[in-house]
């Protein structure tokens, strides 16, 4: 379009992926009897750029599970990445980077 104020598709995808990944984390954490921390969050950044044939997107998820130790948090994030519908939809199609903070 002509630009201006508004939300772009990449921002909408990032918001959806973040929310979905939190849901997946809550599932795997519930199975492990670990409560999702009040200060936990997932922030997604989705970018767009040229690929061989047209344009593609990639996603970066920055994940904080509060005071949960990094080793445990990383294992939970990896399990959530298997469960998350957005992760399943994008797997093998786009680059997804998971950063456990």
């Amino acid at each position: 379009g002509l630009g201006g104020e508004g939300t772009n598709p990449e921002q909408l995808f990032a918001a959806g992926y973040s929310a979905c990944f939190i849901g997946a984390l809550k599932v795997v954490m519930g199975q492990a009897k670990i409560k999702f921390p009040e200060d936990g969050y997932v922030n997604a950044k989705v970018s767009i750029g040229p690929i061989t044939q047209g344009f593609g997107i990639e996603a970066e998820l920055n994940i904080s599970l509060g005071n949960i130790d990094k080793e445990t948090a990383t294992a939970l994030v990896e399990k959530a990445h298997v469960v998350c519908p957005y992760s399943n939809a994008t797997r093998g199609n786009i680059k997804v980077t998971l950063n456990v903070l």
Side-chain angles (χ1 to χ4, degrees):
L2 298 175
E5 292 186 35
T7 304
N8 65 45
E10 294 78 30
Q11 291 168 322
L12 294 172
F13 191 86
Y17 203 162
S18 295
C20 190
F21 205 85
I22 285 174
L25 278 167
K26 287 181 177 180
V27 167
V28 299
M29 292 176 79
Q31 292 170 342
K33 308 260 189 272
I34 300 171
K35 184 180 178 202
F36 188 84
E38 287 187 30
D39 60 345
Y41 64 85
V42 176
N43 287 334
K45 292 189 324 185
V46 175
S47 55
I48 189 168
I51 59 173
T52 304
Q53 296 184 350
F55 291 89
I57 62 173
E58 63 181 55
E60 178 181 350
L61 301 180
N62 295 303
I63 304 139
S64 174
L65 295 180
N67 290 330
I68 295 174
D69 68 88
K70 185 131 183 181
E71 184 178 332
T72 301
T74 299
L76 291 166
V77 164
E78 289 172 358
K79 288 179 183 177
H81 192 46
V82 172
V83 171
C84 177
Y86 271 68
S87 293
N88 289 328
T90 60
R91 188 169 290 110
N93 296 313
I94 69 169
K95 179 181 176 187
V96 176
T97 303
L98 303 173
N99 299 316
V100 180
L101 308 175

